[in-house]
């Protein structure tokens, strides 16, 4: 048994917060991450804290009894790795809310986006039993793209696939996009979870991106790939002299790599 700060997942999560800050995607207290622990990981750390119960309504039933590592409300990702005890904690999800069992020292609590994280985990677990992670940040170029591109799932997916040959292999399920919404409330949580029933990435217009995955590396890789494509889009959309990657070429890539692209996007 070890202190929760020594868990591999907690160390990886703290490293990732710093990496994302270095990318310029988590200014001030922007961004939040959560990670569902496996039963094995739950047994690896000891609890020496007095548990703190926090009420929350309408908890998804497939999460009750699960343990979640999650970043704190107001945590600055630049500083997380040097202050894990206050900026990262572990909660046990219950029917009427959740109990903080490790971390969040100095009376801190999970991100204000916690309900969105719970709904997102729940939605992905319904369709993918290997799902574990939700990462949200303010990746710059994909946010920029929501000012100059149509906010439609299919159109945005097609544009991103067309920027880098490997995009369609990395996210054949495409992206979902939400119109501008108030963040942190139940409405954006429900809208995000709905999109996540058929893809792993949701773009929040004029705000940022959320990606899910089977590991922190997996979810972050999706964000890196989408943002790279968005960066190329932003740098070229108004000055192109070639047609870019055609539908036929994308289908050839799918064929070669044995990937099935989301229906209704390529002709
Ligand atoms: Zn945000």
């Amino acid at each position: 048994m070890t202190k929760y700060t020594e868990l591999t997942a907690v160390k990886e999560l703290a490293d990732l917060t710093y990496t994302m800050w270095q990318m310029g995607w988590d200014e001030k207290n922007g961004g939040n991450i959560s990670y569902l622990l496996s039963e094995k990981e739950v047994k690896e750390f000891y609890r020496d804290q007095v548990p703190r119960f926090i009420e929350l309504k309408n908890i998804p039933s497939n999460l009750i009894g699960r343990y979640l590592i999650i970043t704190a409300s107001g945590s600055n990702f630049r500083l997380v790795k040097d202050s894990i005890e206050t900026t990262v904690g572990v909660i046990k999800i219950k029917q009427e809310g959740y109990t903080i069992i490790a971390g969040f020292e100095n009376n801190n609590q999970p991100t204000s986006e916690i309900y969105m994280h719970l709904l997102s985990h729940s939605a992905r677990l319904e369709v993918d039993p290997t799902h574990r992670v939700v990462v949200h940040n303010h990746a710059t170029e994909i946010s920029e793209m929501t000012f100059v591109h149509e906010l439609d799932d299919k159109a945005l997916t097609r544009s991103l696939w067309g920027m880098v040959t490997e995009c369609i292999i990395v996210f054949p399920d495409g992206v979902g996009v939400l119109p501008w919404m108030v963040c942190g409330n139940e409405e954006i949580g429900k809208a995000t979870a709905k999109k996540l029933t058929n893809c792993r990435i949701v773009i929040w217009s004029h705000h940022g991106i959320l990606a899910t995955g089977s590991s922190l590396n997996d979810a972050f890789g999706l964000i890196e790939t989408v943002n790279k494509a968005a960066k190329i889009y932003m740098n070229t959309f108004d000055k192109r002299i070639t047609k870019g990657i055609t539908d036929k070429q994308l289908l050839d890539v799918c064929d070669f790599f044995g990937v099935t692209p989301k229906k209704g996007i390529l002709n």
Side-chain angles (χ1 to χ4, degrees):
M1 294 279 258
T2 179
K3 188 173 163 71
Y4 87 101
T5 51
E6 295 302 314
L7 289 174
T8 303
V10 171
K11 288 183 183 171
E12 280 181 9
L13 187 148
D15 277 349
L16 181 57
T17 58
Y18 195 75
T19 301
M20 298 205 309
W21 172 75
Q22 283 181 312
M23 306 286 281
W25 297 346
D26 291 275
E27 69 288 345
K28 203 172 184 293
N29 60 341
N32 31 74
I33 306 179
S34 64
Y35 176 103
L36 276 173
L37 289 157
S38 67
E39 281 179 33
K40 181 175 170 288
E41 288 168 320
V42 168
K43 292 185 185 127
E44 283 172 13
F45 69 100
Y46 59 79
R47 291 79 153 144
D48 57 356
Q49 252 171 255
V50 179
R52 235 187 323 148
F53 179 73
I54 296 178
E55 197 181 315
L56 189 62
K57 289 190 168 56
N58 302 321
I59 299 285
S61 59
N62 61 348
L63 294 180
I64 292 168
R66 297 291 304 260
Y67 291 77
L68 190 73
I69 302 169
I70 188 163
T71 51
S73 175
S75 56
N76 285 211
F77 277 16
R78 179 171 61 90
L79 306 172
V80 164
K81 67 182 176 60
D82 297 320
S83 57
I84 295 176
E85 287 88 350
T86 53
T87 57
V88 180
V90 183
I91 63 168
K92 183 176 186 185
I93 303 162
K94 306 206 163 170
Q95 188 140 21
E96 306 295 331
Y98 57 89
T99 303
I100 294 171
I101 59 163
F104 298 128
E105 287 177 10
N106 300 345
N107 220 23
N108 281 336
Q109 37 180 331
T111 168
S112 57
E113 298 278 9
I114 184 169
Y115 194 55
M116 182 278 293
H117 278 255
L118 296 180
L119 293 179
S120 298
H121 283 294
S122 174
R124 286 308 299 169
L125 279 174
E126 288 289 321
V127 292
D128 177 9
T130 70
H131 163 84
R132 299 285 287 282
V133 171
V134 173
V135 177
H136 162 62
N137 69 30
H138 299 166
T140 311
E141 285 81 7
I142 191 65
S143 303
E144 288 177 3
M145 201 171 160
T146 63
F147 289 90
V148 302
H149 194 282
E150 188 186 349
L151 302 176
D152 170 77
D153 295 354
K154 287 180 180 173
L156 190 58
T157 296
R158 177 63 184 87
S159 291
L160 293 168
W161 282 352
M163 291 301 108
V164 182
T165 301
E166 286 169 27
C167 278
I168 199 164
I169 308 167
V170 176
F171 54 100
D173 47 354
V175 300
V177 58
L178 293 181
W180 182 88
M181 296 176 83
V182 173
C183 53
N185 65 14
E186 193 171 332
E187 201 181 341
I188 196 167
K190 283 183 173 167
T192 301
K194 195 173 170 198
K195 294 282 182 189
L196 290 172
T197 58
N198 58 26
C199 66
R200 293 169 294 160
I201 303 157
V202 181
I203 317 297
W204 290 355
S205 293
H206 321 326
H207 182 150
I209 184 167
L210 173 136
T212 64
S214 56
S215 68
L216 290 160
N217 196 42
D218 181 29
F220 180 60
L222 290 176
I223 295 178
E224 282 185 295
T225 309
V226 166
N227 198 67
K228 176 68 177 282
K231 186 171 187 172
I232 295 172
Y233 182 91
M234 291 308 298
N235 286 332
T236 61
F237 78 95
D238 55 353
K239 47 178 98 87
R240 288 182 200 157
I241 58 166
T242 73
K243 279 191 296 188
I245 309 173
T246 65
D247 282 12
K248 165 79 170 61
Q249 289 169 331
L250 287 171
L251 288 167
D252 286 347
V253 172
C254 291
D255 207 31
F256 185 76
F257 287 94
V259 162
T260 308
K262 182 176 250 177
K263 284 194 173 61
I265 297 173
L266 301 176
N267 290 308

